[in-house]
Amino acid sequence: MKLPTTIKPKDLQRITGLCYAQSLRIAQKIRFVNDKKKHQYITPQETADYLGLPLENIVLTLENHKKNK
């Protein structure tokens, strides 16, 4: 299981099943909670903490998406 270094709104869309616009809003909220600026990326751990999901679920979801391509 390889841990991705950054999470982008498109990744959030795959994880949550929400539309791209809602995923952008979630990314903005994660940045705000972690006191990051607009140009800074969010990490998988920050995403897991904000969404209340185990980190492993996020990594597995992204890996499964890559395999299905």
Side-chain angles (χ1 to χ4, degrees):
M1 178 166 40
K2 183 179 176 186
L3 185 66
T5 56
T6 63
I7 299 291
K8 297 176 181 166
K10 194 74 170 174
D11 297 327
L12 282 172
Q13 186 178 10
R14 292 180 188 113
I15 294 165
T16 62
L18 299 173
C19 72
Y20 187 75
Q22 290 172 320
S23 298
L24 276 172
R25 285 188 213 112
I26 290 173
Q28 289 172 345
K29 290 177 185 177
I30 293 172
R31 280 191 200 95
F32 178 77
V33 167
N34 292 298
D35 197 32
K36 290 190 170 193
K37 299 195 187 307
K38 187 177 181 178
H39 67 278
Q40 293 177 305
Y41 291 113
I42 54 177
T43 65
Q45 185 62 53
E46 292 167 344
T47 304
D49 292 342
Y50 183 81
L51 296 175
L53 296 172
L55 181 61
E56 297 162 354
N57 287 3
I58 292 174
V59 174
L60 288 174
T61 301
L62 296 176
E63 282 183 352
N64 287 337
H65 185 275
K66 285 183 181 181
K67 287 179 186 177
N68 293 334
K69 275 190 165 180

